[in-house]
Amino acid sequence: MSVTACEIESGARMDGDTHAVVARYKDMVYRIALTHTRYAGDADDVFQDVFLAYHRKQPELNGEEHLKAWLITTTVNCARRVSMNSWRTKVIPMRPEDMEQPEVFHFNSEVQDELFTALGKLPEAYKTVLHLFYFEDLSVNMIAAMLELEAGTVKMRLSRGRGLMRTQMSEGGYFDER
Amino acid sequence: MSDEIFDKMSAQMKPSDELLARLDAALAAESADAASAAAPSDVVSGESPLQAASGSTRPAVSRPTGAPKRKRRVWLPIASGVSALAVVVAGSFMIGPMLQQGAMESSAPQENAPAATQFPMDSTEAVATSAPPEVEPVASPTITASGPYAEVLGKIANMPSMSEYLNPAYSSAREQANTAPMPASAPEVATDTGVLEAGSYTGYTGTNTQVVGIDEGDIVKTDGKAIYVASGKQIKIVDPVGAATQVVATINTTDLLADADPAAGLISSQVLEMMVDDGKLIVFVTEYQPRTVEVGSENTTYVPYDATQTKAVIYDVSTPASPKYLASLGQSGAYSTTRLSEGVLYVVTSYSIDDPASIDPEDPSTFVPLTSDDDRKKLTPIGPDRISICPGEEIPVYTVATAIDVNSQKRLGEASVLGSPNNVYMSDANLYIASYRYHDVYTGVDTATQKEVDWDSLPKLGFKVENGTQLVRIRLNGGDLQVAAQGLVAGSLVDQFAMDEYDGYLRVATTIGGATGDSSNFTWKSQPALFVLDGDLKTVGSIEKLVSDESIQSVRFNGAVGYVVTFQQVDPLFAINLGNPKDPKVMDKLKVPGYSTYMHPWTDGKLLGLGYNADTNGNVSGMKLSMYDAANPYDLRELQTEKVKFDDSEALQDHRAVFVDPESGIVAFPAYSWSYTETTTNMSAVYLVYKYDDEAGFTQLGSFELPVANLSYVSTRAFRIESSFYVANRVEVDVFDYESLAEQHTVKLD
C-alpha cells in the first residue's frame, strides 16, 4: 500500500490509545458499518467488534493513514461477516431478544432513506468505494491505496456503482458530473 | 440537489451514546482482565472517555488538506422508465405438435419425468446410486486429513484458491456406517398442503409455493387442522374455527434446545421457519456458539457468535392441542431454506468456516459440515464422497443439504457443496443450488479465485461478461442425495423462480452484466438472457439477448411456457417458446409502465402480475396489480391494471407473502407505506384483499390494519381454511369470513 504525501497529512503518529482512536474514528467506523450492514443493530455489533479488535491486537501501524486504512478494511471485513448471510441467521446480537425485528436505520427524509437503501443494495465492491468517496471524502487514489486496488478499478467501480444506483433509485434520479 | 445530501446523511450516521457506553464497558472489562492477568498499566477508571468524546465533531483527518477538491455531483431526474413482460413459451397448444402432453400443466413434470430417467446420467452416478458402502465401517469419527478429506481441506485452508470442481477424486465410499443412507423408499403419505379442493370453500390453502406439490418452509404454516405461528422462540398453535378461533397450545423451543446447556455457551435463534406434514410439525432453529479462538489475520476481526448448526425439531401434532416432541436432527450451518415433497424433508443450510484458526487437519469435524441426530451427542462429518467443490467461491462456505423422512424422523441422506447457496430451487427430482460469480472486466485481471471459473466457456456476446452463476444439480433420489452435475451460465438470477425444470431440462433466465470498450471508453451493458440446460447442466439452447440494456425483474415458467419481465424504462413482458429446448424463441413482447416482481398463473390462460407502478417516464410510484391475457402467447395483452397506493410490500420480495386463489378470483397481500415529516418517520401497514373479475377488473374487497412494531412491518401470511380467512403474524391472528370479509375474531398472540 502506498499513499502519497499530497493525499493525506503524513503528520506524526497520533495517540494510539484505544480511547483516543475511538474518539477520532468512531463516526467513520459507524458510518462504514451502517452502510455495509444497513441495520442499526448489526452496525452496533460491527462497531464494537472493530474497536475491541483494535484494542486486543494493538496493531503496529506506521502513521495515521495506516491506522485509518486498518480501521476501514477491518470494518468492511467485519461487516461482511455479519451480512454474509441474512443477518438473523448469521450473527446473534449481544442481546438475543433484539433478533426479532431488524431495525432499519432511518434518515430524516425519504430521499435520504432511498439513497441509503439503494447504496445498501449494491454489491460490496461498489458499496465500499461509493461510501468512501461520498461519505468519507476520500480521493480515488486514497481509496485505491486503502483497498489495494488499481485507481482504474476504483474509477470503474464508482462509475458502475453510480449506474447501479441509478437503476435502483425508485424515485428516479442519478449521479452525474458537471 | 447537490452532494450536500451526503453531508446531511453523514451527520445522522453516528454511534448512539448507548453504543459508546457499551463499547466503553467492554473496553473496561478487557482492560480489567489484562490488569488482573499481568500489567496493570492500562486500567480504565473514572469518567468514560467515550462518553465525554461523544459530542465531539467529526475527526478533522477525514478530509486531507492536500487532497484535490472533488467535483460536485448533482442529482438529475431519470429520463423515463417502463418495463417489458416477455413470454418465453416452451411449448403450448400454440405449438401443439411439438409437445407430448399436458404442456401447460405445471404439475406435468412429475408424470413426464421420473427421477431415475430425468437426466442422462454418467456411469459414476449410476454406480454411486446402486452400490452400498464398499468400505468397512469405521468406528472412530476421526478421519485423517491426509485421507479422503485432503482435497477439501486444501481448498478451505487456502481459500480462495480452489481450482477443481465436483469431487472427481472423492470416489471412496462413505466411511460412516451410521450415516449410510436408508433404503430409498417412497413415503406412503403425501401432503395435501397447497392443494385447493374443488367446490366451495372446503379444505384449505397452504403456503404459496413455486412448485405445486413441493411445500416450502415459512414463518406461519397450516395443515388445515391448525395454524402454527412462529413467535420468537415459541410456536403458537391456533385452532382455526372461525369466530371461536383460539390458541390451544404453545411450544417453547427453549425447553429442548441449547439454552438448556448454558455451560456450553450455546444460544439458539428464534424459530426461523416451520414445515408441517401429516401430523408432524418441523421447527427450524439455528444454534450459535461463541468463538473461542481469535482469528489470525490482521484484517479480520472478532465476531462473538458463529452459526454452528441448524436443527430440524420434529413434533407430533396429530392432536394440535397436545404437541409431543419426537426428535431433533441437526446439520452444520445457518438456515437457508427447506422443501418438502412426498413425505421427505429437504433442509438446506449455509455453513461457513468462520474461524480458520480452529481448523485441525487431523480432525475433519473442524472443517467439513457435520450432521447430528438427537441433540449433539452424535456428530458425524459428511462423507468425502458426498462433498463437492464449486469453483470460484471466494470464502470457505458450504451448502449443506440433507433429506429427512418425516414419518420415521430418520435422515435419508446428505450432500454438500463448497459454495454459497445464493438461490435454491427444487423440482420433483432435483435440488438446484445457484452460486453467484463475478469478475472485473474493467481491469481484465482475474484473481486466482476468479480464474477458477470457466469464463471462456460462456457464449461470445460482443461484450465482456462480468457475472456468472455456478449451478449444481443434486439428485434427490428419494432422499439419498447425490451431487450429479455442475455447470456455468452467464449472468445472475433474480430469485428462485429464474430456475425451472421441465421435461428433463433446466431453464434458467439471467441478467448478464458486462461492458464494451477499454478503460478510456467504457460502456456498461445489461442483457436479459435465457438458457436451456440438459442433465449435465450443459447449455443446449439459448436466447442470449431478450432485449438490450434492461434487467430481469421476475420470471415464471408454467410448463412449456416461460414469462420474463424486464425493466429499464418500460416493462416488457416476453413470451418465449421453449417447446424445442435447443431452439427457444420469443413469441411476443408487451410493453407496459412499471414492472411485476411476482407472476402467478391465473385461470383461463391469464397471468397475474404484482409489482411496482410507474409512469411512462419510468418514475416509480407505489404498487400495481396487473392481469395479462397470455392464452395466446403470440399475442400478449394487458387486460386490467390496478394501482395499489402503498409504497412497498413484503409480497414484492417474498412469494410466500402472496395469497392467491384463482378459483375464487382472490389475490391478497400485505403492504405498507412510510410518511415523513422533517423530524419524524411513521409507518402504516395493511393487509389488502382484491377480487379479479373479467368484467369489473380488480376490486378491493378489504383493507385491514396490520401491527407495526418499532417502525417495522411484521411479516404476515394468510390462509383460507374452509369458509374463514385467517391473517396471521406473530402479534395476532385475525379471522374474517372469506365470502363477506366481515371480521369474525381476533386472537392476540403476544
Side-chain angles (χ1 to χ4, degrees):
Chain A
M1 182 190 312
S2 68
V3 177
T4 62
C6 72
E7 284 166 340
I8 192 164
E9 292 169 310
S10 60
R13 169 120 193 244
M14 295 175 74
D15 190 355
D17 172 77
T18 306
H19 293 98
V21 170
V22 172
R24 292 208 293 288
Y25 289 108
K26 61 183 163 54
D27 290 352
M28 182 192 81
V29 166
Y30 191 75
R31 281 194 299 266
I32 297 171
L34 196 55
T35 304
H36 286 72
T37 60
R38 295 176 57 201
Y39 296 114
D42 289 350
D44 286 3
D45 291 344
V46 171
F47 178 86
Q48 179 135 337
D49 289 345
V50 167
F51 286 115
L52 278 176
Y54 177 85
H55 187 71
R56 287 172 187 160
K57 291 182 198 297
Q58 294 289 323
E60 293 282 326
L61 297 167
N62 186 19
E64 193 70 14
E65 68 271 33
H66 287 139
L67 168 61
K68 187 170 179 180
W70 187 92
L71 288 169
I72 289 172
T73 50
T74 303
T75 310
V76 169
N77 283 329
C78 190
R80 178 189 301 147
R81 284 175 171 275
V82 168
S83 53
M84 197 179 290
N85 293 310
S86 125
W87 77 276
R88 75 175 71 77
T89 60
K90 189 62 196 152
V91 162
I92 295 237
M94 291 305 193
R95 294 170 300 171
E97 64 268 24
D98 288 350
M99 285 190 69
E100 200 146 323
Q101 289 292 322
E103 191 191 335
V104 179
F105 190 87
H106 284 295
F107 290 91
N108 288 343
S109 82
E110 193 171 357
V111 147
Q112 291 173 7
D113 268 347
E114 248 175 46
L115 176 62
F116 185 70
T117 303
L119 182 63
K121 285 179 180 169
L122 293 185
E124 184 189 288
Y126 299 115
K127 185 160 45 185
T128 306
V129 168
L130 283 179
H131 177 94
L132 294 177
F133 189 76
Y134 284 103
F135 286 120
E136 308 305 331
D137 290 346
L138 295 175
S139 71
V140 167
N141 288 341
M142 274 288 291
I143 296 169
M146 286 191 173
L147 302 180
E148 300 186 40
L149 297 169
E150 296 297 316
T153 307
V154 173
K155 284 183 194 162
M156 178 276 288
R157 289 188 183 171
L158 278 174
S159 149
R160 174 63 161 156
R162 283 193 289 259
L164 290 170
M165 294 276 286
R166 189 184 310 148
T167 59
Q168 287 202 5
M169 292 290 290
S170 57
E171 281 296 321
Y174 63 101
F175 297 89
D176 204 347
E177 299 189 19
R178 259 187 204 160
Chain B
M1 215 179 299
S2 73
D3 64 356
E4 195 185 345
I5 190 171
F6 297 109
D7 295 336
K8 281 186 179 169
M9 290 169 70
S10 196
Q12 295 168 61
M13 289 195 281
K14 284 181 181 301
S16 65
D17 287 349
E18 187 209 344
L19 174 59
L20 288 166
R22 260 166 63 196
L23 175 60
D24 198 25
L27 287 173
E30 293 271 324
S31 300
D33 287 349
S36 62
S41 60
D42 192 25
V43 180
V44 177
S45 62
E47 187 190 344
S48 157
L50 297 182
Q51 292 282 53
S54 66
S56 70
T57 53
R58 202 170 147 184
V61 290
S62 65
R63 188 189 281 275
T65 52
K69 281 250 170 194
R70 62 185 167 83
K71 292 175 188 170
R72 304 293 285 182
R73 267 92 192 163
V74 294
W75 292 79
L76 298 176
I78 200 164
S80 67
V82 197
S83 70
L85 172 58
V87 183
V88 188
V89 180
S92 71
F93 61 89
M94 295 303 297
I95 45 170
M98 298 168 67
L99 297 168
Q100 308 272 314
Q101 55 177 307
M104 296 293 286
E105 301 294 324
S106 56
S107 58
Q110 196 170 344
E111 289 87 50
N112 289 352
T117 57
Q118 183 106 26
F119 287 139
M121 287 188 297
D122 57 31
S123 54
T124 48
E125 184 175 333
V127 169
T129 52
S130 57
E134 290 153 10
V135 178
E136 283 291 300
V138 179
S140 161
T142 306
I143 299 167
T144 59
S146 58
Y149 288 110
E151 187 159 352
V152 70
L153 174 61
K155 291 294 177 198
I156 295 167
N158 292 308
M159 234 47 186
S161 67
M162 300 178 295
S163 59
E164 283 185 70
Y165 186 75
L166 229 65
N167 67 349
Y170 302 144
S171 53
S172 65
R174 317 186 69 195
E175 301 211 9
Q176 301 300 307
N178 55 6
T179 58
M182 305 269 297
S185 59
E188 288 136 32
V189 185
T191 174
D192 59 348
T193 303
V195 178
L196 179 66
E197 293 182 15
S200 64
Y201 309 144
T202 57
Y204 67 100
T205 62
T207 300
N208 183 31
T209 61
Q210 179 179 5
V211 180
V212 172
I214 298 182
D215 204 0
E216 302 178 20
D218 203 357
I219 52 170
V220 184
K221 296 293 288 182
T222 187
D223 56 4
K225 294 195 295 180
I227 296 173
Y228 306 90
V229 185
S231 180
K233 294 192 176 186
Q234 295 184 333
I235 295 131
K236 303 286 186 182
I237 302 181
V238 177
D239 185 20
V241 281
T245 296
Q246 58 173 333
V247 176
V248 291
T250 298
I251 295 177
N252 223 329
T253 60
T254 52
D255 294 345
L256 290 161
L257 296 171
D259 297 278
D261 183 14
L266 290 171
I267 52 174
S268 64
S269 71
Q270 302 192 340
V271 173
L272 299 169
E273 288 186 356
M274 298 169 292
M275 194 74 93
V276 61
D277 179 45
D278 190 28
K280 310 286 193 307
L281 177 73
I282 305 104
V283 177
F284 302 101
V285 174
T286 296
E287 283 183 355
Y288 298 80
Q289 149 179 310
R291 183 173 305 173
T292 51
V293 188
E294 192 149 350
V295 180
S297 163
E298 186 170 294
N299 279 341
T300 53
T301 185
Y302 184 81
V303 174
Y305 286 91
D306 297 329
T308 53
Q309 71 166 346
T310 293
K311 282 180 170 175
V313 188
I314 306 175
Y315 295 88
D316 180 347
V317 289
S318 50
T319 307
S322 54
K324 292 184 190 64
Y325 170 80
L326 291 175
S328 166
L329 290 90
Q331 65 191 67
S332 292
Y335 183 83
S336 176
T337 188
T338 51
R339 298 289 186 276
L340 188 133
S341 174
E342 307 278 314
V344 180
L345 176 72
Y346 300 88
V347 183
V348 180
T349 55
S350 167
Y351 179 47
S352 58
I353 308 292
D354 291 290
D355 186 0
S358 69
I359 293 177
D360 174 1
E362 299 299 314
D363 181 3
S365 69
T366 62
F367 62 87
V368 300
L370 311 170
T371 59
S372 73
D373 295 343
D374 273 323
D375 298 329
R376 309 178 63 82
K377 288 165 197 136
K378 207 165 57 180
L379 291 169
T380 312
I382 291 182
D385 61 320
R386 301 281 161 154
I387 299 178
S388 302
I389 295 169
C390 190
E393 185 59 60
E394 303 273 350
I395 50 174
V397 55
Y398 292 92
T399 297
V400 186
T402 75
I404 296 166
D405 180 72
V406 174
N407 273 331
S408 65
Q409 300 103 48
K410 297 289 185 214
R411 196 186 305 282
L412 300 174
E414 62 266 343
S416 183
V417 177
L418 191 57
S420 307
N422 296 126
N423 280 295
V424 177
Y425 157 68
M426 197 177 100
S427 70
D428 293 308
N430 294 290
L431 182 70
Y432 293 90
I433 310 292
S435 201
Y436 180 66
R437 296 292 179 266
Y438 165 83
H439 70 155
D440 192 334
V441 296
Y442 184 86
T443 61
V445 181
D446 284 354
T447 64
T449 309
Q450 288 164 339
K451 278 179 187 156
E452 292 162 10
V453 178
D454 189 8
W455 298 103
D456 291 340
S457 70
L458 298 180
K460 303 294 174 278
L461 298 174
F463 62 92
K464 290 174 272 188
V465 174
E466 71 166 356
N467 59 351
T469 300
Q470 286 283 357
L471 296 163
V472 177
R473 175 168 74 93
I474 298 174
R475 210 152 32 84
L476 301 182
N477 201 28
D480 184 14
L481 303 175
Q482 187 84 40
V483 175
Q486 70 89 16
L488 175 72
V489 294
S492 54
L493 312 186
V494 61
D495 56 28
Q496 69 191 57
F497 289 87
M499 294 180 275
D500 183 76
E501 183 190 306
Y502 178 69
D503 205 15
Y505 292 91
L506 179 72
R507 296 85 59 87
V508 184
T510 73
T511 301
I512 305 173
T516 56
D518 54 30
S519 55
S520 62
N521 182 16
F522 211 64
T523 307
W524 288 102
K525 302 284 290 179
S526 175
Q527 182 168 304
L530 187 132
F531 301 96
V532 183
L533 289 75
D534 65 13
D536 292 327
L537 295 181
K538 300 297 173 229
T539 300
V540 296
S542 64
I543 301 173
E544 288 166 1
K545 183 159 96 175
L546 278 172
V547 62
S548 272
D549 297 322
E550 303 211 355
S551 55
I552 290 180
Q553 302 297 330
S554 59
V555 184
R556 191 86 199 220
F557 293 95
N558 187 13
V561 188
Y563 306 97
V564 177
V565 167
T566 65
F567 182 72
Q568 173 63 34
Q569 292 172 346
V570 189
D571 169 11
L573 169 65
F574 291 88
I576 302 170
N577 178 347
L578 294 160
N580 178 354
K582 297 188 170 67
D583 188 24
K585 282 184 161 40
V586 173
M587 304 171 79
D588 196 15
K589 177 164 118 169
L590 175 71
K591 288 204 170 243
V592 290
Y595 59 90
S596 298
T597 57
Y598 178 72
M599 289 183 281
H600 194 101
W602 201 254
T603 54
D604 303 328
K606 293 190 198 60
L607 182 71
L608 174 75
L610 176 63
Y612 292 105
N613 184 47
D615 61 23
T616 51
N617 290 328
N619 296 312
V620 172
S621 59
M623 299 162 54
K624 68 158 187 171
L625 273 167
S626 298
M627 190 63 75
Y628 303 100
D629 182 356
N632 178 354
Y634 289 100
D635 184 20
L636 291 172
R637 291 162 191 273
E638 184 177 61
L639 294 172
Q640 298 284 349
T641 186
E642 170 84 5
K643 286 177 188 164
V644 179
K645 302 208 166 176
F646 283 86
D647 291 347
D648 210 342
S649 169
E650 183 184 19
L652 302 187
Q653 281 89 43
D654 190 336
H655 59 281
R656 296 172 299 183
V658 186
F659 174 92
V660 201
D661 182 358
E663 280 74 15
S664 311
I666 300 294
V667 55
F669 49 90
Y672 50 82
S673 279
W674 301 96
S675 59
Y676 300 88
T677 67
E678 194 63 31
T679 52
T680 63
T681 303
N682 283 303
M683 179 189 237
S684 58
V686 294
Y687 199 86
L688 298 171
V689 182
Y690 286 87
K691 186 177 181 71
Y692 176 80
D693 181 276
D694 281 340
E695 315 233 312
F698 290 100
T699 309
Q700 185 179 304
L701 298 185
S703 171
F704 311 118
E705 192 179 340
L706 290 177
V708 172
N710 296 325
L711 284 179
S712 289
Y713 154 82
V714 180
S715 285
T716 300
R717 302 289 186 265
F719 306 108
R720 179 187 60 75
I721 300 173
E722 293 177 345
S723 59
S724 289
F725 187 59
Y726 298 85
V727 178
N729 54 54
R730 65 177 164 79
V731 178
E732 63 195 24
V733 177
D734 292 319
V735 189
F736 303 90
D737 179 78
Y738 192 57
E739 188 88 33
S740 67
L741 287 178
E743 181 153 4
Q744 295 179 327
H745 193 46
T746 294
V747 182
K748 291 285 179 193
L749 297 187
D750 66 354

